[in-house]
Amino acid sequence: MTPPLPARLLHARGKTTAAQHAAARHLDHTFEKLLASSLPLIAAAPLLDALRASPDPLALPDLARRLPLRLHRRGPLHFLRLFPRVFHLRPPLPLSLSLTPPAASLLAVASSASTAAQTLHRLLAMCPSRSVPLRAVFRVWRELALPDDFEDSVLARHPHLFRLAPNPAEPTTHLLHLIPDTSNFSPAVDNNTRPANKHAFRLQFPPGFRLTKEYRKKINAFQLLPYAGPYEPTDHKTVSTKTRVSKMARRKMEKRAVGIAHEFLSLTVEKMVEVEKFSQFRKCLGIDVNVRDVFLDHPGIFYLSAKGKRHTVFLREAYDRGKLVEPNDVSEARRKLVELMLLRRHGLGNANSNANMSASSANAQENFHDDLQELEV
């Protein structure tokens, strides 16, 4: 007689690795094209931040020493010449670099201090300890549309909400604490206010996705499962992978993780974030399951893309045919900046014939995405 499996293996995903699980997902080409169009902007983000922080043009040699970025396989100068509507190369030698006025005005768009304070307030209210490492907030400041100087313009001006304190686990870093208050936030999804026969989460499956009878039953059972909302206080205790957990408890943990991820994505301006950046908040938010598996196991709520050698997750219900259902000033400014970069050298003459030929060829456009180098943004 075959001996029973250990309890910790009963909830495993078999012998499928994380890479195989991600590769087996059902592709949604609408989101894939949306992310592909944003790859040049994602690659150039550290460079754009350095140019915005400098009041004067930066010399290319000095910039190369400060930011040793590999923007393109043909070199950074080739990358900069591809986008003359965003980057302005100034002679004489050595060349200096600055932003064009249209690009600078679009990059200057950010949330107001009051909106940014409310976003951080909601983020901290989801954490059982009401605190997050400040370095994690810096990783997602673009996604949350925080001002460049949010430490001064937001944190320092709202002492009744936020407090910075040294991080005992990491002596060189700080923790951002939420001052205790009586604010009650309503989450983007609240299954307590919906009828019992309605789904707690809005589902939008990709075209061609096959819904089997067994999968429908699994979805219905998951949607009707009660769970603690993202802002509800919980007596959270970290669960080890070796801890014996019942199947129902595991499902509730997964349901709460879905609700927290849904709310986190609702706080971002473009309703998307890199999985690696979101993982920085996993312990702070009290998530005890693998976040990448959560996104892959719920394709009707999230879509995970591997475009650009990074995993990016989208909130499905926030998009309609590749566009945000409720756009905002920051998302519109970024969309216009992406459009500026997509124009490349089109209509600007023959100063760079190779760039013009590649811009007019769909195949070359795909090759250009492959030529972009992987960056730590």
Side-chain angles (χ1 to χ4, degrees):
M1 182 177 178
T2 304
L5 290 173
R8 64 184 180 88
L9 296 180
L10 290 177
H11 307 290
R13 201 174 54 238
K15 295 183 179 180
T16 305
T17 64
Q20 291 172 336
H21 195 199
R25 73 193 187 283
H26 189 95
L27 291 180
D28 191 327
H29 296 287
T30 300
F31 286 106
E32 293 293 329
K33 292 179 181 178
L34 177 63
L35 188 58
S37 63
S38 302
L39 285 182
L41 179 59
I42 295 173
L47 178 61
L48 294 173
D49 292 341
L51 293 174
R52 287 187 58 202
S54 175
D56 301 317
L58 298 176
L60 281 184
D62 298 337
L63 193 60
R65 283 191 291 269
R66 290 172 52 189
L67 296 172
L69 302 179
R70 298 174 58 193
L71 295 174
H72 198 278
R73 291 180 180 176
R74 296 186 183 180
L77 192 58
H78 176 81
F79 179 89
L80 298 175
R81 285 174 173 168
L82 287 176
F83 307 107
R85 289 179 168 87
V86 176
F87 301 108
H88 184 197
L89 289 168
R90 299 169 176 263
L93 296 177
L95 295 175
S96 59
L97 182 67
S98 64
L99 293 171
T100 61
S105 62
L106 292 175
L107 287 169
V109 179
S111 297
S112 63
S114 59
T115 302
Q118 185 179 21
T119 300
L120 289 176
H121 192 179
R122 283 179 171 271
L123 176 61
L124 289 165
M126 285 194 291
C127 303
S129 64
R130 300 297 189 266
S131 64
V132 296
L134 187 61
R135 57 172 173 76
V137 179
F138 275 111
R139 294 296 304 276
V140 295
W141 73 273
R142 293 189 191 92
E143 287 77 2
L144 299 179
L146 301 179
D148 297 341
D149 59 341
F150 75 90
E151 288 184 278
D152 298 326
S153 61
V154 178
L155 302 184
R157 294 185 182 181
H158 295 81
H160 60 289
L161 290 178
F162 310 114
R163 175 174 61 88
L164 285 175
N167 188 352
E170 302 177 12
T172 59
T173 62
H174 289 80
L175 286 175
L176 177 60
H177 292 269
L178 178 64
I179 303 298
D181 67 335
T182 58
S183 301
N184 293 320
F185 295 115
S186 58
V189 173
D190 187 0
N191 64 340
N192 295 323
T193 61
R194 301 191 180 195
N197 61 345
K198 295 291 185 180
H199 291 312
F201 295 95
R202 189 179 304 170
L203 301 179
Q204 297 178 1
F205 292 97
F209 188 85
R210 184 182 179 185
L211 286 171
T212 62
K213 184 177 180 180
E214 290 296 325
Y215 191 69
R216 289 178 185 273
K217 290 175 60 177
K218 181 180 177 181
I219 291 175
N220 291 334
F222 179 83
Q223 295 282 37
L224 296 176
L225 185 68
Y227 76 105
Y231 298 111
E232 295 182 19
T234 58
D235 187 14
H236 175 261
K237 295 180 180 179
T238 304
V239 179
S240 173
T241 56
K242 296 182 179 181
T243 304
R244 296 176 65 91
V245 179
S246 66
K247 187 175 181 180
M248 178 57 67
R250 181 72 63 178
R251 290 174 60 194
K252 289 184 177 180
M253 289 164 53
E254 182 182 358
K255 185 69 176 285
R256 176 167 169 80
V258 170
I260 291 175
H262 187 286
E263 190 68 17
F264 187 96
L265 287 169
S266 299
L267 295 179
T268 62
V269 292
E270 296 179 285
K271 315 309 176 189
M272 70 178 199
V273 69
E274 289 183 29
V275 176
E276 190 271 334
K277 293 182 179 181
F278 176 73
S279 298
Q280 301 282 322
F281 296 89
R282 187 177 68 85
K283 292 183 179 179
C284 305
L285 296 172
I287 298 177
D288 295 315
V289 295
N290 188 298
V291 293
R292 186 176 284 102
D293 289 348
V294 169
F295 299 140
L296 291 171
D297 292 340
H298 298 277
I301 305 173
F302 310 106
Y303 179 72
L304 188 140
S305 172
K307 185 74 79 172
K309 299 180 181 180
R310 53 173 57 83
H311 285 169
T312 305
V313 61
F314 293 84
L315 182 61
R316 279 192 172 279
E317 68 179 52
Y319 284 85
D320 181 25
R321 299 180 182 181
K323 295 182 179 180
L324 283 171
V325 177
E326 297 181 358
N328 49 72
D329 294 340
V330 180
S331 66
E332 285 296 290
R334 293 180 183 176
R335 180 185 61 81
K336 293 177 181 178
L337 187 61
V338 168
E339 292 177 351
L340 278 182
M341 300 193 78
L342 289 178
L343 286 174
R344 300 173 77 177
R345 295 199 59 88
H346 182 70
L348 296 181
N350 297 320
N352 191 332
S353 58
N354 292 331
N356 286 330
M357 287 187 295
S358 60
S360 62
S361 170
N363 294 331
Q365 183 72 14
E366 292 296 328
N367 294 334
F368 171 74
H369 292 152
D370 295 337
D371 288 339
L372 287 175
Q373 301 296 309
E374 183 178 5
L375 298 177
E376 288 292 336
V377 181

